[in-house]
Amino acid sequence: MKGIEINSAQVNVELDYFLQGSVIKGTVNNSVTEVRSFFEVDSEESDSKVLEVIKLAKQGCFAESLVKEAVPLVSTCLLNGNKISVT
């Protein structure tokens, strides 16, 4: 799209999470405390051109957007074909 030659690109995502409580007691709870993304790009283009592409990739990343901005969660649960409320 940008006409920039990239030899290889890779992104890895790590997260720190915890799970606490008990499923048996009905007190299970979890949370994510940090998410980290690591971009590795190999290109013979200028750093400034590649940086522009990396910035655009991060701007278009659904995972990063979901972590940065809270969004409404719509959850539908069916039990034996019937919609149920789980709160």
Side-chain angles (χ1 to χ4, degrees), residues 7-9 15 20 24-25 32 35 39 41 43-45 56 59 66 68-69 71 74 78 80 85:
N7 300 326
S8 66
L15 57 95
Q20 63 188 17
I24 293 171
K25 293 179 182 177
V32 174
V35 178
F39 284 79
V41 179
S43 175
E44 295 176 18
E45 300 280 354
L56 289 170
Q59 285 173 228
L66 182 62
K68 291 189 299 188
E69 302 290 332
V71 297
V74 178
L78 299 178
N80 297 324
S85 175

Side-chain angles (χ1 to χ4, degrees), residues 1-86:
M1 285 190 220
K2 298 290 286 178
I4 294 173
E5 188 168 329
I6 296 194
N7 300 326
S8 66
Q10 181 176 336
V11 63
N12 289 304
V13 178
E14 296 178 350
L15 57 95
D16 295 332
Y17 66 93
F18 67 86
L19 180 64
Q20 63 188 17
S22 167
V23 171
I24 293 171
K25 293 179 182 177
T27 60
V28 69
N29 186 30
N30 77 83
S31 186
V32 174
T33 57
E34 184 174 84
V35 178
R36 294 173 299 280
S37 63
F38 299 91
F39 284 79
E40 184 174 349
V41 179
D42 180 45
S43 175
E44 295 176 18
E45 300 280 354
S46 70
D47 287 357
S48 61
K49 286 183 180 181
V50 177
L51 179 58
E52 182 182 1
V53 171
I54 292 171
K55 286 179 180 179
L56 289 170
K58 288 173 68 63
Q59 285 173 228
C61 179
F62 295 107
E64 286 201 12
S65 178
L66 182 62
V67 170
K68 291 189 299 188
E69 302 290 332
V71 297
L73 172 64
V74 178
S75 179
T76 303
C77 297
L78 299 178
L79 175 59
N80 297 324
N82 297 310
K83 191 173 179 179
I84 61 171
S85 175
V86 180

